[in-house]
Amino acid sequence: NAGVMQNPRHLVRRRGQEARLRCSPMKGHSHVYWYRQLPEEGLKFMVYLQKENIIDESGMPKERFSAEFPKEGPSILRIQQVVRGDSAAYFCASSPDSSGTSPGELFFGEGSRLTVL
Amino acid sequence: AQRVTQPEKLLSVFKGAPVELKCNYSYSGSPELFWYVQYSRQRLQLLLRHISRESIKGFTADLNKGETSFHLKKPFAQEEDSAMYYCALPSGGSNYKLTFGKGTLLTVNP
């Protein structure tokens, strides 16, 4: 099992461009979570998705950010018109369910580091 | 609001010495708490959870409700313990919406 796969690992964008980050969950996992880690900060929850459904987007900025997890293919975190403050590490995690037998155990990817020039 | 504080950004000890990574939290109710670890060039992974009362890789953590702490301890540190450690607390009544501390980078010197 390759684990949670994220790409790209590093992404550089200029202000105003769009950034797309992709995440494939672990095999057998149907729940995907996105977290953001700003420099010198802890990870912060952004959004929780299941296939074709956004379950909880309470941590998503109201503008420019969107996420999806289509029936086929990876989950996508999309940031439109990026600004310097979007520079961060974006981590995807997955789990077999949202509570289940291992509450709090999320399986993380290696992260995508976005740099906005 | 839930909050997790890890007061030490960096912690350096010698091999064989005891180590304690501090974590304090603010939470109304009975919290579940977790320690996650990220070794160099590896993914963030769950180390232990307080509800399991387990010892993983020689580490233990005891929940002290009076002091609102969940410090991670190991009596004899090993070089392979060098890593970034994060304390985490579920928020919003869910098990997936974790509030993480800023992390402590532990370095175990030979």
Side-chain angles (χ1 to χ4, degrees):
Chain A
N1 196 331
V4 177
M5 302 301 293
Q6 289 188 248
N7 67 83
R9 294 289 312 281
H10 300 275
L11 182 64
V12 179
R13 286 287 179 265
R14 296 191 180 279
R15 281 179 295 170
Q17 292 184 319
E18 179 179 285
R20 285 194 181 212
L21 309 175
R22 289 175 289 278
C23 169
S24 296
M26 282 182 73
K27 189 175 180 180
H29 287 191
S30 57
H31 298 246
V32 165
Y33 317 86
W34 286 93
Y35 279 75
R36 177 167 67 173
Q37 185 177 31
L38 294 169
E40 308 292 320
E41 296 291 324
L43 282 78
K44 288 189 170 27
F45 169 81
M46 298 181 76
V47 62
Y48 159 38
L49 309 107
Q50 295 178 29
K51 286 284 187 182
E52 299 184 283
N53 280 306
I54 297 174
I55 307 301
D56 182 347
E57 56 181 349
S58 57
M60 288 277 272
K62 293 289 183 275
E63 297 177 346
R64 303 186 297 107
F65 284 72
S66 62
E68 62 175 8
F69 189 15
K71 188 176 179 181
E72 301 290 338
S75 175
I76 307 281
L77 180 68
R78 182 183 179 204
I79 311 171
Q80 295 178 287
Q81 299 176 315
V82 296
V83 301
R84 289 219 174 103
D86 297 333
S87 295
Y90 292 84
F91 290 92
C92 175
S94 71
S95 71
D97 54 45
S98 65
S99 55
T101 57
S102 298
E105 182 166 18
L106 302 180
F107 295 83
F108 282 87
E110 294 178 298
S112 292
R113 276 156 181 80
L114 172 65
T115 301
V116 179
L117 302 178
Chain B
Q2 291 92 345
R3 191 166 60 247
V4 175
T5 303
Q6 293 180 251
E8 300 146 327
K9 193 173 177 180
L10 303 168
L11 182 61
S12 181
V13 301
F14 286 102
K15 178 182 173 181
V19 63
E20 180 180 72
L21 295 101
K22 292 184 168 54
C23 171
N24 290 91
Y25 66 90
S26 62
Y27 186 87
S28 55
S30 294
E32 292 187 36
L33 282 141
F34 309 91
W35 278 98
Y36 273 78
V37 61
Q38 187 171 24
Y39 300 103
S40 179
R41 289 186 288 276
Q42 292 189 29
R43 300 153 193 247
L44 190 63
Q45 57 187 284
L46 180 66
L47 178 63
L48 58 80
R49 57 176 77 89
H50 102 270
I51 198 168
S52 302
R53 298 187 180 279
E54 56 201 345
S55 172
I56 303 292
K57 299 184 179 183
F59 283 98
T60 58
D62 291 319
L63 179 62
N64 186 323
K65 291 184 180 179
E67 296 183 357
T68 59
S69 68
F70 188 56
H71 302 330
L72 185 67
K73 301 177 184 179
K74 185 169 182 176
F76 307 104
Q78 303 299 314
E79 288 180 68
E80 56 265 28
D81 296 328
S82 296
M84 194 75 177
Y85 291 81
Y86 295 94
C87 185
L89 170 72
S91 60
S94 71
N95 287 317
Y96 57 82
K97 196 186 301 184
L98 299 177
T99 297
F100 285 84
K102 294 184 180 183
T104 298
L105 180 61
L106 173 66
T107 302
V108 181
N109 300 297

